[in-house]
Amino acid sequence: LQKELENADQNLLDFRNKRDEVLNIQSENKLAIDRLKDQENSLISEEDRLKDSIETLANAHNNWRDQRKKLHLSRQELMNQQKDLETRFGEERRERDSVEADVAKQRLNIQELQWSLQRLKEDQKAINEEIRMETIRCHELEKKLPDPLPLITDEIRENGLEVLLSDLEALQQRMEELEPVNMLALEELAKLEERLNELESRLQVLTDERSELLLRIETVSTLRQEAFMEAFQAVDLHFREIFASLSEGDGHLQLENTDEPLEGGLTLVAHPKGKPVRRLAAMSGGEKSLTALSFLFALQRFRPSPFYALDEVDSFLDGVNVERLAALIARQAEHAQFLVVSHRRPMIGASMRTIGVTQARGNHTQVVGLPIAA
């Protein structure tokens, strides 16, 4: 009986322990049920909030589609105006090139006339010097005449004795001035004339080349500015469209020097939804990221590349903006390949291929494949 009593006490103690365990499990189950009810209430409220968000997004999408249609019509009108302006600009440029060619020809003619005038002035100086020398010689000859002067008959006047004597004396004086005579003077004169002709031809060639180079330089400068303005207008149009799709606001590119675009810089002006117009330096981190990404994708749309690598560009963005960015990258991925490093679930969920990188044992990096739903 004593042994049975001890066994009965032991069984009673075991049953009490089991009862305590059951009571603890029941309490834990009750707490779990309360937590589940709280989670259920949270999910219901979250569901209501998501329904409101979906309705808001649907309204915003409809508004965006209307705005897109209006922008498309405006863009078509602007493109037509641009074509008309390009046609007019081409005609005016051809007219300007023709006028510049005429101006260049007139300048060459003026330069040639100036050279001719200079040569005529030099010839005039030589003639004046020769006249002065002849005048001095005449005075000297007058001094040599006898006093009183002999009578000169009409026959002598008719024969021109004085002229003959004068020519004889002049020839004699020139012969004396030429002494000693250089027998190679004619050959040297021929070489100098040949070199002069060669230099004149080279000068003409250099003058023509200079005019052509100046015309080409101006043409290249004009073409460079035209190419820059064409790229600026295209990137500005893409930037406005992409920034509006990412931030539901408006933004544009602004030149610092509109008269001389190549002499100034470029400013990004952004107006996020519900905020005043700001420059890039005055924005928050998320706004800066959206603006910079809009500019990057605008450049990519104007001059696409086959491959892009983005490293945590969504780190400063909230969930909604990450979803918008992921949708934009998905659209752009139809024309190029994107490699995106991200920790955000919307970005990972929108990817076509997902690769996980983690730290394994021994400080080694391990690369694992993840399902698309991850």
Side-chain angles (χ1 to χ4, degrees):
L1 292 175
Q2 183 65 31
K3 187 177 290 185
E4 290 177 357
L5 181 61
E6 291 177 356
N7 293 330
D9 291 336
Q10 184 66 32
N11 292 329
L12 179 62
L13 182 61
D14 294 336
F15 284 126
R16 287 179 178 176
N17 293 330
K18 290 181 180 180
R19 184 197 63 184
D20 293 336
E21 292 177 357
V22 170
L23 290 175
N24 292 330
I25 294 172
Q26 184 178 3
S27 299
E28 292 178 355
N29 292 332
K30 185 177 181 181
L31 292 174
I33 291 171
D34 293 336
R35 286 196 297 270
L36 291 174
K37 288 181 179 180
D38 294 336
Q39 291 179 0
E40 182 180 5
N41 294 328
S42 300
L43 291 174
I44 291 172
S45 60
E46 183 67 18
E47 182 181 4
D48 295 335
R49 187 182 67 79
L50 290 175
K51 288 181 179 180
D52 295 336
S53 299
I54 291 171
E55 185 177 357
T56 303
L57 288 174
N59 296 329
H61 181 68
N62 293 329
N63 295 330
W64 175 77
R65 291 180 63 184
D66 296 336
Q67 292 179 0
R68 183 180 179 184
K69 290 180 180 179
K70 294 178 181 179
L71 288 174
H72 182 71
L73 294 175
S74 301
R75 179 186 177 186
Q76 191 67 29
E77 293 177 358
L78 290 174
M79 289 178 67
N80 294 331
Q81 293 178 4
Q82 182 182 2
K83 290 180 180 178
D84 296 337
L85 290 174
E86 287 177 352
T87 304
R88 290 174 56 192
F89 181 75
E91 294 176 356
E92 292 179 357
R93 185 174 63 183
R94 287 191 293 270
E95 184 178 357
R96 186 202 63 182
D97 294 338
S98 177
V99 172
E100 288 178 348
D102 293 337
V103 170
K105 291 181 180 178
Q106 293 295 333
R107 287 178 179 172
L108 291 176
N109 293 332
I110 291 172
Q111 190 173 7
E112 291 177 356
L113 291 174
Q114 289 177 352
W115 290 343
S116 300
L117 179 61
Q118 185 68 25
R119 287 194 296 268
L120 290 174
K121 288 182 179 180
E122 292 177 356
D123 294 340
Q124 183 180 7
K125 289 181 180 179
I127 292 172
N128 291 331
E129 182 66 21
E130 188 175 355
I131 291 173
R132 188 180 66 83
M133 295 298 295
E134 291 295 332
T135 304
I136 294 172
R137 191 174 61 82
C138 289
H139 291 305
E140 292 178 354
L141 289 175
E142 287 179 356
K143 294 178 181 179
K144 293 179 180 181
L145 292 176
D147 190 19
L149 294 175
L151 294 177
I152 300 174
T153 63
D154 296 334
E155 184 179 0
I156 296 175
R157 291 182 182 277
E158 291 176 0
N159 293 330
L161 179 61
E162 185 177 2
V163 175
L164 293 175
L165 292 174
S166 176
D167 292 339
L168 181 61
E169 188 175 357
L171 290 173
Q172 188 175 359
Q173 185 176 359
R174 290 180 62 185
M175 290 176 62
E176 293 176 356
E177 291 176 354
L178 290 174
E179 292 179 357
V181 178
N182 185 7
M183 302 304 295
L184 299 177
L186 295 176
E187 184 178 353
E188 293 177 357
L189 178 61
K191 291 182 179 179
L192 289 177
E193 288 179 351
E194 182 180 357
R195 179 166 175 76
L196 179 61
N197 294 330
E198 182 182 357
L199 291 176
E200 287 179 351
S201 62
R202 291 177 61 184
L203 178 61
Q204 184 65 31
V205 172
L206 291 175
T207 303
D208 296 339
E209 290 179 353
R210 177 178 178 275
S211 301
E212 185 178 357
L213 286 175
L214 291 175
L215 183 60
R216 288 186 180 181
I217 289 171
E218 188 171 356
T219 303
V220 169
S221 178
T222 303
L223 293 176
R224 184 178 66 166
Q225 185 168 347
E226 289 177 0
F228 174 79
M229 290 305 299
E230 179 183 357
F232 171 77
Q233 292 173 2
V235 173
D236 182 34
L237 184 62
H238 296 324
F239 178 77
R240 293 171 185 265
E241 181 181 352
I242 295 173
F243 186 79
S245 65
L246 287 180
S247 64
E248 296 184 355
D250 56 86
H252 64 277
L253 305 180
Q254 181 177 335
L255 293 174
E256 293 182 357
N257 189 352
T258 56
D259 297 331
E260 297 291 338
L262 299 178
E263 300 298 330
L266 181 66
T267 303
L268 301 179
V269 180
H271 181 197
K273 184 179 180 182
K275 295 184 180 181
V277 178
R278 294 182 179 178
R279 294 181 181 269
L280 186 62
M283 292 183 179
S284 62
E287 293 172 345
K288 287 181 179 179
S289 297
L290 287 179
T291 306
L293 289 171
S294 300
F295 183 67
L296 174 64
F297 285 116
L299 291 175
Q300 185 265 338
R301 187 172 294 180
F302 172 71
R303 191 64 60 84
S305 297
F307 180 79
Y308 295 89
L310 305 178
D311 187 6
E312 296 188 13
V313 296
D314 55 356
S315 59
F316 292 99
L317 304 180
D318 54 10
V320 176
N321 289 327
V322 174
E323 292 177 357
R324 294 174 182 170
L325 179 59
L328 178 62
I329 293 176
R331 291 194 299 270
Q332 299 291 100
E334 297 177 358
H335 307 286
Q337 185 178 7
F338 282 81
L339 177 64
V340 182
V341 179
S342 176
H343 299 285
R344 308 298 296 274
R345 183 175 293 275
M347 184 67 71
I348 298 174
S351 64
M352 298 178 63
R353 297 290 185 273
T354 306
I355 299 175
V357 181
T358 183
Q359 184 176 359
R361 294 181 179 180
N363 294 327
H364 295 291
T365 300
Q366 183 178 2
V367 179
V368 296
L370 296 178
I372 297 178

